[in-house]
Amino acid sequence: MKKEETVLSTKPAPCRGCGFHYNCLCERIPALQSQVRIELLMHETEAMRASNTGRLLEAALPHCRRHIWQRKTPPAELLTLLADPAAQPYLVFPSETALPLDAVVTRHSSASYAKPLHFIIVDATWQQARKMLRQSPWLEDIPTVTLPDGLTTNYSLRRNQPTGSLCTCEVGIEILTAMHESENAGAVSHLFHEFIATFEADRNHVALSQPLSQSQQQ
């Protein structure tokens, strides 16, 4: 069944929560019980972009934190975490020395005593992300993990990104899956598709009469 749409001529004020004008996403954000720790290293310009998907992880997951990246001022809270001997941070980014995400999770699960894993996701365009890493020497000694091969993205809100690269929310979904939180991964995936539909409707000044169902996302 196709979702009903209404084109509005007058632009409503934006929602104070989600920022959308024609369709509010706030009531569709799940409050999940998750043990996964995600640290969003967000480029300072990302916080201003309506197309940012890191905020979906931040809103749905209890242990997801935002750290604003600035070239001359490293985020203090993240630096504190990186120096904490009781934590095990991993930078999620492809590199020659990156370990497979699944292997890291398996090794962590089998350890008799394991430090809490903290996954650092660079929340930026790929062009910005590479520059951020080059200009952040405090990240040089952090081990990196890479996602499985063959993943495809459903994110289409920006142009000129590498083919097959995932957006921030999709990276979070893969981490949740690898950490054996499949139900939470499904809930965030549902929210992600709701976000894409809401963004497109807002861009076209369209009010949607009902949220997406699971079948409409396929």
Side-chain angles (χ1 to χ4, degrees):
M1 178 178 179
K2 186 176 180 181
K3 184 167 41 179
E4 296 181 5
E5 300 178 351
T6 303
V7 179
L8 302 180
S9 57
T10 302
K11 189 173 185 178
C15 171
R16 294 184 179 181
C18 65
F20 288 118
H21 292 265
Y22 299 89
N23 304 275
C24 179
L25 193 66
C26 296
E27 292 185 358
R28 306 177 206 173
I29 298 174
L32 302 177
Q33 299 297 317
S34 171
Q35 298 303 312
V36 174
R37 296 168 174 83
I38 292 178
E39 312 294 338
L40 297 176
L41 182 56
M42 184 180 290
H43 192 279
E44 56 187 330
T45 62
E46 276 297 319
M48 309 297 291
R49 290 175 173 163
S51 57
N52 176 270
T53 64
R55 59 192 173 120
L56 301 178
L57 299 175
E58 188 180 17
L61 301 176
H63 302 296
C64 179
R65 299 186 297 178
R66 175 189 304 195
H67 309 273
I68 299 298
W69 183 90
Q70 295 176 316
R71 185 173 65 85
K72 296 183 179 180
T73 310
E77 192 173 12
L78 184 56
L79 291 183
T80 299
L81 170 68
L82 299 182
D84 185 357
Q88 178 57 70
Y90 279 98
L91 178 65
V92 185
F93 204 82
S95 71
E96 294 181 356
T97 59
L99 300 170
L101 174 61
D102 289 342
V104 168
V105 172
T106 298
R107 184 174 64 185
H108 177 267
S109 300
S110 61
S112 57
Y113 171 76
K115 303 175 182 179
L117 298 177
H118 291 258
F119 295 99
I120 303 170
I121 303 176
V122 182
D123 193 7
T125 66
W126 276 95
Q127 295 85 347
Q128 289 173 331
R130 295 187 182 96
K131 181 181 292 186
M132 290 165 64
L133 295 184
R134 288 198 304 269
Q135 297 179 345
S136 302
W138 43 274
L139 286 173
E140 290 179 355
D141 295 330
I142 306 303
T144 56
V145 297
T146 186
L147 302 179
D149 295 329
L151 298 175
T152 57
T153 183
N154 288 301
Y155 184 75
S156 58
L157 303 184
R158 296 185 190 176
R159 300 176 180 177
N160 303 321
Q161 296 304 298
T163 302
S165 61
L166 303 187
C167 70
T168 300
C169 187
E170 290 173 314
V171 173
I173 293 168
E174 291 300 320
I175 292 173
L176 288 167
T177 301
M179 292 289 286
H180 311 296
E181 293 192 8
S182 57
E183 290 188 6
N184 286 337
V188 175
S189 179
H190 183 76
L191 173 63
F192 170 69
H193 285 87
E194 292 271 12
F195 171 79
I196 296 294
T198 302
F199 187 97
E200 294 289 2
D202 230 56
R203 180 158 57 186
N204 292 301
H205 300 186
V206 170
L208 303 175
S209 62
Q210 60 186 17
L212 285 175
S213 67
Q214 290 284 1
S215 61
Q216 288 172 313
Q217 293 183 18
Q218 304 302 321

